[in-house]
């Protein structure tokens, strides 16, 4: 994805589900935001320590936690020629009652498109660690789901100087392929530094998959279901600035149309839904 100058609507704070080790410890480890409860000693088998998580528990039809998630709203293409208008309506983003966040892209009665773009800008940011989500993506020509991050200094320096880490993007015409990319000054848009991961058969929309980056000072590594497929370091920017040693916030969205995926066609069925089982941030061992 790319970022233009649309502003983020600021909602109220209901600190319901974000889990961390506590503000003091989290800040020391590079995590900040609206964080409260501590799963003391929570560790993956790898020895990683869980810093933060949203498990998307809650009643069907309820809003995602406003203590974590805010909404980018509006249309205008978002710098990519996209067709959708992003809303904060429950028609476009809601919990399903089964532990998932559902982001729904719709074709409206007048032929326009609506969807949702959720962001932790202003509530939660992270610097380093394993940033991971379990997602079942939507499908179809012109559908563009993404799980990504932007530098928290976006309002001060703009894009691409803030940096962008695309943990997972898919364009509907490539059902078996996802992309991991970084964008920064001198390597943005079509010049982003990226690589694709491809299934041996089937489509990513057929099942949930785990998408992650392991992010350390001077390096970012991408994986799908635990299999590494891409890594970047400052040497890969060809002398352009490395802008990834600072806090970033998280974005989840489903775009419709745009210069990269192309627009929906007669084969595209609506509504299309992206289901997010969880988002977790780990301190790497």
């Amino acid at each position: 994805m790319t970022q233009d100058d649309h502003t983020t609507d600021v909602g109220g704070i209901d600190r319901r589900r974000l889990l961390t080790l506590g503000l003091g410890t989290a800040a020391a480890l590079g995590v900040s935001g609206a964080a409260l409860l501590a799963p003391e000693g929570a560790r993956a088998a790898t020895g990683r320590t869980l810093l933060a998580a949203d498990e998307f528990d809650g009643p069907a039809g309820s809003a995602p936690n406003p203590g974590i998630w805010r909404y980018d709203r509006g249309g205008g293409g978002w710098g990519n020629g996209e067709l959708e208008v992003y809303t904060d309506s429950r028609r476009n983003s809601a919990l399903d009652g089964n532990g998932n966040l559902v982001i729904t892209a719709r074709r409206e009665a007048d032929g326009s498109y609506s969807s949702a773009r959720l962001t932790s800008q202003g509530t939660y940011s992270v610097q380093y660690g394993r940033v991971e989500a379990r997602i079942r993506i939507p499908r179809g020509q012109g559908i563009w789901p993404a799980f990504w991050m932007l530098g928290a200094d976006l309002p001060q320096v703009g894009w691409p100087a803030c940096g962008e880490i695309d943990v997972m993007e898919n364009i509907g015409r490539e059902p078996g392929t996802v992309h991991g990319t970084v964008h920064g000054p001198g390597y943005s848009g079509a010049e982003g530094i990226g690589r694709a991961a491809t299934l041996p058969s089937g489509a990513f929309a057929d099942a949930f998959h785990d998408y992650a980056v392991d992010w350390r000072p001077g390096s970012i590594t991408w994986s799908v279901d635990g299999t590494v497929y891409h890594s970047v370091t400052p040497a890969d920017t060809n002398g352009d600035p490395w802008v990834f040693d600072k806090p970033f916030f998280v974005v989840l969205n489903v775009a419709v149309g745009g210069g990269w995926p192309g627009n929906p066609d007669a084969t595209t069925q609506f509504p299309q839904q992206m289901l997010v089982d969880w988002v977790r941030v780990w301190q790497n061992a």
Side-chain angles (χ1 to χ4, degrees), residues 19-29 31 33 35-40 50-51:
L19 307 177
T20 78
L21 297 177
L23 290 176
T25 304
L29 294 171
V31 179
L36 289 179
L37 299 178
E40 297 294 345
L50 183 65
L51 298 180

Side-chain angles (χ1 to χ4, degrees), residues 170 174-179 195-204 209 211 224 227 229:
N170 167 265
E174 299 175 346
T177 299
V178 294
H179 299 263
R195 185 166 295 173
T198 301
L199 291 172
S201 63
F204 277 100
H209 294 273
Y211 304 98
V224 177
T227 299
Y229 71 95

Side-chain angles (χ1 to χ4, degrees), residues 98-191:
N98 295 312
N100 301 304
L101 166 67
V102 183
I103 298 177
T104 304
R106 298 180 180 276
R107 180 187 287 127
E108 303 296 345
D110 62 0
S112 65
Y113 301 95
S114 65
S115 188
R117 178 159 129 169
L118 279 64
T119 169
S120 70
Q121 184 180 16
T123 66
Y124 179 78
S125 62
V126 60
Q127 181 175 343
Y128 308 134
R130 182 177 179 89
V131 183
E132 184 175 21
R134 183 165 177 81
I135 300 173
R136 193 180 79 192
I137 65 170
R139 69 181 77 223
Q141 168 57 36
I143 304 300
W144 185 4
F147 164 41
W148 51 303
M149 297 187 287
L150 285 166
D153 59 353
L154 170 66
Q156 291 75 44
V157 303
W159 186 92
C162 67
E164 176 179 328
I165 303 170
D166 298 325
V167 185
M168 180 281 297
E169 293 183 283
N170 167 265
I171 54 174
R173 69 171 179 266
E174 299 175 346
T177 299
V178 294
H179 299 263
T181 312
V182 291
H183 302 267
Y187 48 100
S188 63
E191 303 302 317

Side-chain angles (χ1 to χ4, degrees), residues 245-262:
D245 292 324
K246 60 185 179 182
F248 276 63
F249 60 85
V250 176
V251 186
L252 294 163
N253 71 286
V254 178
V256 179
W260 186 25

Side-chain angles (χ1 to χ4, degrees), residues 38-131:
E40 297 294 345
R43 290 181 178 271
T46 58
R48 299 185 184 99
T49 301
L50 183 65
L51 298 180
D54 193 345
E55 303 292 335
F56 300 111
D57 296 330
S62 61
N65 184 355
I68 307 171
W69 303 108
R70 298 177 177 177
Y71 299 89
D72 284 332
R73 300 190 299 178
W78 297 92
N80 305 307
E82 299 167 32
L83 301 178
E84 81 290 327
V85 172
Y86 288 125
T87 84
D88 59 3
S89 168
R90 297 290 68 73
R91 296 181 70 250
N92 297 115
S93 61
L95 305 185
D96 67 359
N98 295 312
N100 301 304
L101 166 67
V102 183
I103 298 177
T104 304
R106 298 180 180 276
R107 180 187 287 127
E108 303 296 345
D110 62 0
S112 65
Y113 301 95
S114 65
S115 188
R117 178 159 129 169
L118 279 64
T119 169
S120 70
Q121 184 180 16
T123 66
Y124 179 78
S125 62
V126 60
Q127 181 175 343
Y128 308 134
R130 182 177 179 89
V131 183

